[in-house]
Amino acid sequence: MTMYDVVIIGGGVVGCSIARELSRFQVRTALLEQCAEVGFGTSKTNSGIIHAGHHSPPGTLKGMLVVRGNELYDRLQKELGFSFRRIGELVVAQSQEEIEILEHLKQQGVEKGVPGLEIWDQKRLLREEPNLSHTLLSALHAPSAGVINPYELAFALIENAEKNGVVLKVDSPVEKIEYQKDRLVLHTPTKKLATRFVLNCAGVFSDKIAQMVGLNDFVILPRKGEEYMLDKRLQGLVRRLIFPVPTKQSKGTLIIPTYDGTIMVGPTAQDTFDRYDVSTTYEGAKQVFEAVKKICPSISERDTITEFAGLRAVSNTNDFIIGTTAVKGFINVAGIQSPGLTAAPAIAEYVCDILENEGLELIKKPDFKPHIPKVSHFGNLSVAEQKRLIEENASYAKVICRCELVTEAEINHAIDHGARTLDGIKFRTRAGMGRCQGGFCAARCMNILAGHTGQAIHQITKRGSGSWIVTKMENHQHPKTGKEV
Amino acid sequence: MSLKWKTINIQKPGKKFNILGHMEQAYDVVVIGGGPGGMGAALGARESGVARVLILDRESEPGGILLQCIHSGFGLHYFKEQLTGPEYAERFLNKVIDDNVKIMAGSYVSGIAVDSDGTKQVRVLSEDHGQVIVKTRAVVLSMGCRERTRGAIRIPGTRPSGVLTAGLAQKFVNMMGMLPGKRIAILGSGDIGLIMARRLMLEGCEVVGVFEYLPYSNGLTRNVVQCLEDFGIPLHLSTTVAYIHGRDRVERITVAPVEKDLKPDLSQARDIQCDTLLLSIGLIPENELSQSLGIRLDLITGGPWVSSTLETSMPGVFACGNVLHVHDLVDYVTRESLLAGRFAGEWAQGVRRPVDNIRLIPGDNVRYCVPHSLSTEREHTIYMRCKTVMQPCKIRVGNLMEKKLRFVVPAEMIMLKIKPHLLDKFHGDTLRIDILPEDA
């Protein structure tokens, strides 16, 4: 049984951020992920917003970590090269009462050190965002908010962490945790791991993990969010993130110009007891489009090209639960709901401090490599740059996904850097994300993946476990030999 | 001038054909797409008398979607015999090769620029040659179409594996020898869905039913009979899939009858166990390239707006086949593309036909008509589709002519020939086409 200093349970953006932060130090770290790849849980379905930070009240842990998290993204992006852009956000007021809330939000933000907050009157608002409703009264502008592809962040973090020595084990749900003298032993279906510290980053399952060591002091109440992706022809409808005035439940239904330009609307906020319920619903769609139309009348349900849902890991304290527990060595990093993505890099720093306080020696690795190779999306390059890449590597001239112009070289790169499923390829390269939704490229990607991993075609999955794509034909025996063909 | 030639095998064993590998040479006509439309256009161009014709195809072998359509029924109109898709493709491919048309497979067109003298520079990403510029006088767009996906019709529920378009399922079964699942439900009664219902039944799958939200089938009558009725597969009209269930893989679907507004009536919903949901809910002409060129599109067909010579709004760029509008039969594609190729070849040689002077307007119960304008000096064939079923009925073309029809259905394209002597008498600039009840 291998002995680790730290085992992280859960490979979402939080687990991966901590893994990457710990990889700076001479600490033996492993990350256990129950899915086939990291980021395949809540992170994948996140709205992809790096919040400015004025939404969360001061005095809460999330309020404290969100501003610091936001600051850290510039450096992180330079090192890891994921898609991130500060486009700014607007909270729009639809009534006189809401204007007062804007003032309050601004005040809250200023206190916390959110940069550049400014109230815009109607004239300024409609000049900057002419497609918004003319009934809007004013808006709070926060220039430091940004958009990101959250799954790319998870992939980049873990790739860099692995490069610096962190051990990643996918398809490894934790089934049991034993306490032995000075160490914790984790059981997965295939392995046992011993460790001094366990970091419980299991998202919507984190209360279940805590129960494995007998801790019952918090519960996760998953809150579902449905998101609707709109056709590319609406690109440019808004240039900034558009928020309504927040309610107690959530930040409301947003208009999100994603990093790739496609407009996304959502999320809903629906409490659910089913920790696997990522279904979209008629009611959800109705809610989203009714809310959004009030802010931007030209958005229509008809423009939907795809939809999905994710679960926020909301805790009963309604704040992040980060810290040591009654069980020595077992540390919760739970209840990370919005703005968890923004806070993730700050959470990682915070958790390292806790570990150090708990006696883990954090000695910097002299050979820590903060960078991973930057991947350029071929389709976004100039003709001259494309030509140069093709001269270096001929498979850049082989187009696999024609809707998003993804080449074989990019698919190969994705597989070489961790993609093991069709979704893994899709979220790394965009192959299959376009208008035909994989109709043309799915079979090609399956062939390439099979070629690299040595899997048979029928073993390839959409996103691991039971998500098989094709199955073998039966009764196809050679007429003479009787052997299966 | 050095020429690099490359030979590759195509589906007929032992048969080889040549691919021109050198791109400095200028062409008269470059055809984008090597399916039936592209091959027809290339032959049409050669017939017009031009020598240098090139087909650019993104797949590793030409033939387009025909290659995965291994069922028969192709060629009844054009060859007067029943052929399979690959056979139909092969006949054209042989003609194309014999006719000295060059083919560059594995090539993706990423843009077209027009020089001040009208020469077009087609920018190609080629598996064999890297990034190259092909110069040509005329271009024929023949990129075909793609299938509508789940997102286009918004089915709520989970997003498991096992929801795929009928065409992708066809590729899995016929090209890769794999099954998309074992217990199959099909939403939409488009022709590919009907063909796949039969195909999967023959492979030992259970096909639990075809669900169509309209009160009539969207596929050809012959396919409803030969693919569903002959195999005892139920067709549920006015019924849709209201919900998809299953975490990793489809486990079941909820189906419900649709009300008058075409929304599902959930009070009458029921669940059906299946592991796969095939979608055959329509085809969309693939015009991203056309759009990037600024070519004017028809919002109804999704294809370019074309004159009677099948020329788009960009001079010297022509369009034919499913990229122009979705056809029912490949035979019609062939007919149209031969024509487009001929006009493109003429254009490359400097011939200009008289400019169209009559605009066609789709009137009552006419969804669209192609081409979008006519000239008065020659015979024209107009392709159109109706909006709803009507029987018996008549087509009225302005005040020029009326033609009685037994019935019209949206799934079956209507063809109408208009003779020049009729147009000659016409004084006006727009001609409205209506489909009316017989007694109107």
Side-chain angles (χ1 to χ4, degrees):
Chain A
M1 191 162 47
T2 328
M3 179 73 193
Y4 290 96
D5 295 314
V6 182
V7 171
I8 302 165
I9 303 176
V13 286
V14 172
C16 292
S17 293
I18 299 172
R20 199 258 180 174
E21 192 61 28
L22 281 172
S23 73
R24 295 174 187 279
F25 306 106
Q26 296 176 17
V27 174
R28 286 165 299 175
T29 310
L31 187 147
L32 302 179
E33 167 54 46
Q34 64 167 346
C35 295
E37 297 190 33
V38 298
F40 271 25
T42 294
S43 301
K44 186 178 73 171
T45 54
N46 188 287
S47 299
I49 298 171
I50 300 306
H51 293 280
H54 51 284
H55 273 97
S56 323
T60 58
L61 192 52
K62 57 185 181 185
M64 183 183 102
L65 294 169
V66 64
V67 181
R68 171 71 181 152
N70 180 304
E71 282 169 17
L72 288 169
Y73 267 95
D74 291 313
R75 196 188 72 203
L76 210 50
Q77 198 273 339
K78 275 198 196 87
E79 290 174 347
L80 302 178
F82 51 84
S83 307
F84 166 62
R85 191 182 300 130
R86 293 193 190 273
I87 60 169
E89 71 162 67
L90 288 167
V91 184
V92 294
Q94 307 182 53
S95 68
Q96 206 56 45
E97 299 84 73
E98 290 189 350
I99 293 181
E100 284 161 31
I101 303 178
L102 291 190
E103 288 293 347
H104 169 76
L105 284 175
K106 186 182 172 196
Q107 197 52 41
Q108 189 164 284
V110 170
E111 274 169 36
K112 285 162 60 189
V114 177
L117 290 174
E118 208 180 356
I119 302 266
W120 287 358
D121 62 7
Q122 191 188 43
K123 202 173 147 204
R124 173 89 194 265
L125 174 63
L126 295 179
R127 193 177 69 218
E128 301 273 356
E129 296 290 354
N131 291 313
L132 294 186
S133 165
H134 289 220
T135 61
L136 300 176
L137 299 176
S138 69
L140 173 62
H141 179 233
S144 64
V147 284
I148 187 174
N149 287 337
Y151 39 84
E152 272 184 40
L153 173 67
F155 297 147
L157 286 165
I158 202 68
E159 184 179 340
N160 190 234
E162 281 190 275
K163 192 174 171 181
N164 288 300
V166 171
V167 176
L168 168 68
K169 293 186 189 297
V170 292
D171 288 321
S172 302
V174 173
E175 293 176 326
K176 199 169 113 183
I177 304 173
E178 271 180 288
Y179 199 84
Q180 294 178 356
K181 280 190 281 178
D182 55 343
R183 60 187 190 175
L184 291 148
V185 178
L186 290 85
H187 296 245
T188 73
T190 52
K191 291 171 206 75
K192 276 203 275 183
L193 294 89
T195 178
R196 282 175 67 197
F197 293 97
V198 168
L199 301 179
N200 176 15
C201 308
V204 287
F205 301 96
S206 51
D207 54 346
K208 300 281 171 201
I209 296 289
Q211 282 162 20
M212 288 181 190
V213 291
L215 294 169
N216 286 305
D217 46 1
F218 72 96
V219 283
I220 295 294
L221 309 160
R223 189 175 294 157
K224 188 164 79 174
E226 299 179 24
E227 306 261 19
Y228 293 81
M229 199 68 102
L230 308 182
D231 194 277
K232 252 195 179 151
R233 67 184 185 79
L234 291 180
Q235 194 162 342
L237 195 67
V238 295
R239 293 186 296 160
R240 300 174 183 80
L241 292 154
I242 310 294
F243 288 63
V245 163
T247 63
K248 268 196 181 137
Q249 271 256 312
S250 78
K251 295 191 178 71
T253 309
L254 325 176
I255 306 170
I256 304 163
T258 62
Y259 182 85
D260 299 301
T262 322
I263 302 248
M264 186 163 86
V265 292
T268 54
Q270 185 68 45
D271 291 333
T272 170
F273 292 103
D274 182 349
R275 288 164 204 254
Y276 293 98
D277 175 15
V278 285
S279 62
T280 52
T281 60
Y282 286 105
E283 305 77 51
K286 198 166 163 242
Q287 240 176 54
V288 165
F289 285 95
E290 269 175 14
V292 163
K293 265 173 189 282
K294 279 190 207 152
I295 297 176
C296 186
S298 46
I299 289 177
S300 152
E301 194 174 336
R302 281 199 309 271
D303 296 317
T304 309
I305 55 157
T306 188
E307 57 198 71
F308 59 85
L311 295 172
R312 305 173 182 87
V314 179
S315 74
N316 55 332
T317 68
N318 208 22
D319 196 1
F320 297 167
I321 299 173
I322 304 176
T324 55
T325 61
V327 177
K328 192 174 170 342
F330 188 91
I331 295 167
N332 279 323
V333 190
I336 313 292
Q337 56 158 315
S338 181
L341 174 66
T342 311
I347 292 174
E349 289 182 343
Y350 186 70
V351 169
C352 285
D353 288 347
I354 294 173
L355 285 168
E356 204 169 17
N357 282 337
E358 288 300 297
L360 181 69
E361 213 178 346
L362 296 182
I363 303 165
K364 281 204 170 149
K365 280 181 193 157
D367 56 346
F368 173 72
K369 301 172 205 74
H371 297 275
I372 56 170
K374 195 174 176 330
V375 232
S376 322
H377 182 43
F378 184 81
N380 294 343
L381 299 176
S382 71
V383 174
E385 288 171 308
Q386 290 182 343
K387 198 160 185 159
R388 187 185 56 75
L389 277 183
I390 293 168
E391 276 159 16
E392 277 173 24
N393 178 355
S395 59
Y396 273 111
K398 193 168 178 182
V399 176
I400 302 295
C401 164
R402 58 208 209 203
C403 301
E404 296 292 320
L405 185 52
V406 182
T407 64
E408 190 176 65
E410 290 161 276
I411 309 271
N412 288 339
H413 184 274
I415 298 169
D416 290 343
H417 291 258
R420 286 294 168 271
T421 61
L422 219 46
D423 272 1
I425 292 178
K426 175 167 110 177
F427 287 115
R428 281 174 177 86
T429 64
R430 295 190 63 74
M433 269 194 195
R435 288 189 160 101
C436 87
Q437 291 282 302
F440 285 107
C441 68
R444 288 169 163 209
C445 290
M446 287 164 75
N447 280 325
I448 299 174
L449 193 56
H452 276 253
T453 61
Q455 287 168 293
I457 290 286
H458 67 271
Q459 290 169 324
I460 289 172
T461 62
K462 179 173 159 60
R463 50 170 176 254
S465 59
S467 64
W468 55 276
I469 297 164
V470 292
T471 172
K472 283 202 287 188
M473 287 184 175
E474 276 168 27
N475 308 323
H476 276 218
Q477 285 155 347
H478 193 276
K480 282 181 187 158
T481 61
K483 274 186 192 157
E484 210 173 293
V485 288
Chain B
M1 191 180 285
S2 76
L3 290 178
K4 191 174 118 204
W5 294 81
K6 190 187 172 198
T7 49
I8 62 164
N9 283 312
I10 56 164
Q11 73 270 27
K12 193 172 164 187
K15 175 101 188 171
K16 296 190 171 180
F17 70 97
N18 295 316
I19 291 176
L20 184 65
H22 194 277
M23 290 307 117
E24 292 303 309
Q25 187 179 346
Y27 288 86
D28 298 304
V29 176
V30 165
V31 180
I32 303 174
M39 293 194 288
L43 292 173
R46 290 284 290 123
E47 265 175 40
S48 78
V50 294
R52 299 163 305 176
V53 178
L54 172 72
I55 293 176
L56 297 169
D57 190 61
R58 57 194 159 202
E59 297 296 326
S60 56
E61 48 186 76
I65 225 71
L66 279 174
L67 299 182
Q68 68 183 53
C69 300
I70 64 170
H71 55 283
S72 67
F74 300 91
L76 278 170
H77 293 251
Y78 192 76
F79 290 111
K80 309 284 179 230
E81 58 180 309
Q82 288 246 23
L83 301 174
T84 66
E87 282 170 343
Y88 192 96
E90 190 186 21
R91 288 202 183 186
F92 272 88
L93 190 53
N94 286 338
K95 282 190 190 195
V96 160
I97 295 165
D98 292 345
D99 222 3
N100 242 333
V101 171
K102 306 295 179 237
I103 301 169
M104 191 159 85
S107 48
Y108 172 97
V109 174
S110 56
I112 301 177
V114 186
D115 225 334
S116 51
D117 64 352
T119 309
K120 282 140 197 92
Q121 303 192 345
V122 183
R123 198 170 65 233
V124 184
L125 275 174
S126 152
E127 286 175 28
D128 299 321
H129 314 291
Q131 196 167 54
V132 285
I133 304 283
V134 181
K135 287 183 184 158
T136 181
R137 290 174 191 280
V139 168
V140 183
L141 303 174
S142 186
M143 293 88 76
C145 59
R146 62 161 179 268
E147 297 174 281
R148 291 174 83 206
T149 62
R150 175 178 177 183
I153 51 165
R154 277 225 54 239
I155 312 172
T158 54
R159 307 189 60 74
S161 181
V163 181
L164 67 162
T165 60
L168 179 57
Q170 190 176 45
K171 192 172 189 175
F172 284 149
V173 178
N174 294 346
M175 309 294 275
M176 295 166 75
M178 306 303 287
L179 296 177
K182 288 292 170 71
R183 208 178 138 83
I184 320 275
I186 300 175
L187 174 62
S189 57
D191 289 307
I192 317 169
L194 302 178
I195 297 284
M196 283 315 291
R198 173 177 67 184
R199 184 77 188 91
L200 288 164
M201 195 84 160
L202 291 172
E203 285 302 336
C205 300
E206 200 178 339
V207 180
V208 297
V210 176
F211 304 90
E212 169 60 55
Y213 86 120
L214 291 171
Y216 46 82
S217 159
N218 240 318
L220 297 173
T221 313
R222 74 172 199 213
N223 282 336
V224 175
V225 175
Q226 295 171 8
C227 300
L228 300 187
E229 290 174 14
D230 290 357
F231 287 81
I233 299 168
L235 172 62
H236 303 275
L237 295 174
S238 298
T239 309
T240 194
V241 175
Y243 213 85
I244 295 172
H245 308 263
R247 193 193 301 169
D248 292 327
R249 179 77 195 187
V250 175
E251 286 162 17
R252 68 200 149 85
I253 54 170
T254 302
V255 297
V258 293
E259 295 161 316
K260 279 211 183 76
D261 59 356
L262 296 177
K263 295 250 164 68
D265 174 7
L266 295 173
S267 67
Q268 292 187 61
R270 65 194 167 96
D271 281 8
I272 293 176
Q273 303 288 325
C274 58
D275 61 19
T276 306
L277 176 64
L278 295 194
L279 303 175
S280 180
I281 50 178
L283 301 167
I284 309 166
E286 196 150 64
N287 275 294
E288 277 65 36
L289 178 64
S290 325
Q291 266 175 313
S292 76
L293 300 178
I295 285 174
R296 179 180 168 195
L297 298 186
D298 176 334
L299 294 176
I300 305 293
T301 58
W305 192 98
V306 288
S307 70
S308 64
T309 58
L310 300 173
E311 190 178 6
T312 68
S313 63
M314 192 171 178
V317 177
F318 297 76
C320 61
N322 282 351
V323 81
L324 180 54
H325 59 121
V326 176
H327 297 60
D328 321 337
L329 298 176
V330 71
D331 306 67
Y332 300 154
V333 169
T334 295
R335 199 177 302 171
E336 185 182 85
S337 58
L338 284 166
L339 206 60
R342 228 169 280 152
F343 286 125
E346 283 182 3
W347 203 93
Q349 296 172 75
V351 178
R352 297 291 179 272
R353 295 282 184 153
V355 175
D356 288 352
N357 46 8
I358 303 172
R359 247 182 67 146
L360 287 178
I361 309 278
D364 289 349
N365 198 20
V366 177
R367 220 170 106 68
Y368 71 79
C369 38
V370 169
H372 296 77
S373 60
L374 302 178
S375 65
T376 46
E377 94 293 355
R378 58 180 200 280
E379 183 180 298
H380 296 286
T381 305
I382 302 171
Y383 297 93
M384 52 193 172
R385 278 186 200 276
C386 64
K387 290 178 183 163
T388 58
V389 181
M390 203 180 264
Q391 62 174 346
C393 59
K394 61 184 177 191
I395 301 182
R396 180 188 286 163
V397 183
N399 54 5
L400 294 184
M401 64 179 282
E402 277 190 9
K403 187 187 174 187
K404 287 190 175 159
L405 291 175
R406 239 172 2 103
F407 67 92
V408 292
V409 292
E412 300 191 10
M413 208 161 71
I414 304 156
M415 262 182 303
L416 186 68
K417 279 206 165 74
I418 301 189
K419 304 271 186 202
H421 69 86
L422 285 173
L423 293 166
D424 222 22
K425 284 183 246 153
F426 181 70
H427 299 285
D429 50 9
T430 58
L431 197 53
R432 186 180 145 123
I433 303 184
D434 299 288
I435 298 176
L436 304 161
E438 197 183 37
D439 49 7

